[in-house]
Amino acid sequence: GVFEQEHTITNTDRAVGGRISGAIAREHGDDGFQGTLNLKFKGAAGQSFGVFNIKGLHLRMEGEVNDYMGKGMNGGSITIFPPSGSAFAGEQSEMAIAGNTCLYGATGGRVFVSGRVGERFGVRNAGVQAVIEGSGDHLGEYMTNGVIVALGSTGRNIGAGMSGGLLYLYDPMDQIKSYELVNQDNSDNADRVVSPDGEQQLKELIEDHANRTGSPAAKKILGDWDMHLPHFYQIVPPSERNSRFVKPPEPPPQNVDSTFKREPVLMRSCVAEPEDSGATRATFVGSSRT
């Protein structure tokens, strides 16, 4: 079944959703819950909003959230978007709508943040797919799996210690390379998106983000996809090099003339035959092989 409820919260309400996830896990395990809980919130959430979020639990927040949002989550979804007319709204806003160290150690689920986030977003991310609209320093630090899409500017030290997963960074001003924003661990692993599967993955995440949050930034990019796609960098650790989301398409096979036939190749071998006089005469025997 489906259950929906709305609440107003303040920044003294910490770890919202954690107890619910715990109750679901005790009853159904990590993946056994088949229902849907849609919980909508307004206001300002304290630390660890959506902590340990589980499959089937979908949190929607109209307002801001503090540090550690989505910590340890393994399923469900978290959606953050600004109230209309707030200082967080608008593509040019430099204010962070979500705090620092979000998704710490998370292993699954989806997160959509219509606005900027603080520092260390996605630290130790091990499976969450997320879309944000800009971040502070240390994006994707120690990341081992999952996908993070950034539709706005990012800070320095991107991908420090990142050994798995993918980052998609929208960079129309080419600042990532110009200012050397990627940590030396992955500074040679920043390339444009060349895989059709990678393009599809990126576009589907941005479409989901636009549908869930109404993000103007996402709608702008989707409105002229062919123009904006070349402005994305894909940060690819060595472990992901052979991923279908990274590898360029295989070249088409060359045309082969079906009427072409190989001519037989004459194979000659030398056989030594003794003569009556005691001398040896060499005889070449031919055989054909196609």
Side-chain angles (χ1 to χ4, degrees):
V2 179
F3 176 82
E4 295 188 358
Q5 203 168 73
E6 296 185 14
H7 298 275
T8 299
I9 56 178
T10 68
N11 59 11
T12 58
D13 294 311
R14 295 185 288 272
V16 171
R19 186 175 296 180
I20 297 173
S21 291
I24 293 173
R26 280 192 296 271
E27 184 70 23
H28 302 278
D30 290 343
D31 301 308
F33 182 58
Q34 300 301 315
T36 301
L37 274 67
N38 296 323
L39 302 182
K40 301 177 182 180
F41 300 93
K42 291 184 178 182
Q47 289 188 348
S48 301
F49 179 82
V51 62
F52 309 133
N53 209 69
I54 199 168
K55 173 187 173 183
L57 180 57
H58 304 281
L59 307 183
R60 185 174 173 85
M61 178 68 184
E62 183 180 351
E64 59 186 300
V65 298
N66 220 304
D67 300 343
Y68 297 104
M69 179 267 293
K71 179 175 66 176
M73 72 180 291
N74 76 340
S77 67
I78 299 174
T79 302
I80 315 294
F81 63 99
S84 60
S86 76
F88 299 113
E91 291 184 61
Q92 305 304 318
S93 176
E94 292 296 320
M95 296 182 64
I97 196 172
N100 300 318
T101 327
C102 298
L103 307 189
Y104 182 87
T107 59
R110 285 192 163 194
V111 170
F112 302 94
V113 182
S114 183
R116 296 185 63 81
V117 299
E119 297 184 351
R120 304 190 75 193
F121 185 88
V123 57
R124 299 194 183 278
N125 177 25
V128 172
Q129 295 185 332
V131 182
I132 58 178
E133 298 181 7
S135 75
D137 297 339
H138 320 299
L139 175 67
E141 187 179 22
Y142 304 128
M143 187 168 155
T144 59
N145 199 3
V147 179
I148 296 176
V149 178
L151 303 182
S153 62
T154 57
R156 62 181 182 85
N157 203 35
I158 298 168
M162 176 185 174
S163 60
L166 297 173
L167 299 178
Y168 293 94
L169 310 177
Y170 182 62
D171 184 23
M173 304 301 291
D174 207 20
Q175 294 179 330
I176 289 173
K177 291 286 184 77
S178 300
Y179 295 102
E180 299 181 347
L181 298 180
V182 180
N183 181 275
Q184 63 181 0
D185 293 337
N186 284 292
S187 58
D188 294 331
N189 302 326
D191 299 299
R192 298 301 187 182
V193 181
V194 296
S195 163
D197 287 334
E199 178 184 349
Q200 182 179 1
Q201 180 186 56
L202 173 62
K203 189 174 184 180
E204 287 179 353
L205 281 169
I206 297 175
E207 287 174 340
D208 202 358
H209 181 68
N211 292 334
R212 291 175 185 249
T213 68
S215 164
K219 291 179 179 179
K220 175 182 176 181
I221 291 172
L222 293 171
D224 196 343
W225 178 251
D226 291 338
M227 184 188 79
H228 291 288
L229 176 62
H231 295 312
F232 278 93
Y233 276 107
Q234 189 183 51
I235 310 300
V236 183
S239 65
E240 303 288 350
R241 277 294 169 191
N242 291 324
S243 166
R244 65 185 178 90
F245 300 109
V246 175
K247 294 177 65 176
E250 296 290 337
Q254 295 181 350
N255 292 330
V256 178
D257 186 356
S258 60
T259 63
F260 174 77
K261 293 183 179 180
R262 294 178 58 186
E263 293 295 331
V265 178
L266 182 65
M267 306 296 293
R268 297 170 61 88
S269 60
C270 180
V271 179
E273 298 179 353
E275 293 188 344
D276 295 338
S277 61
T280 301
R281 179 170 59 88
T283 302
F284 288 91
V285 179
S287 65
S288 62
R289 179 181 299 173
T290 56

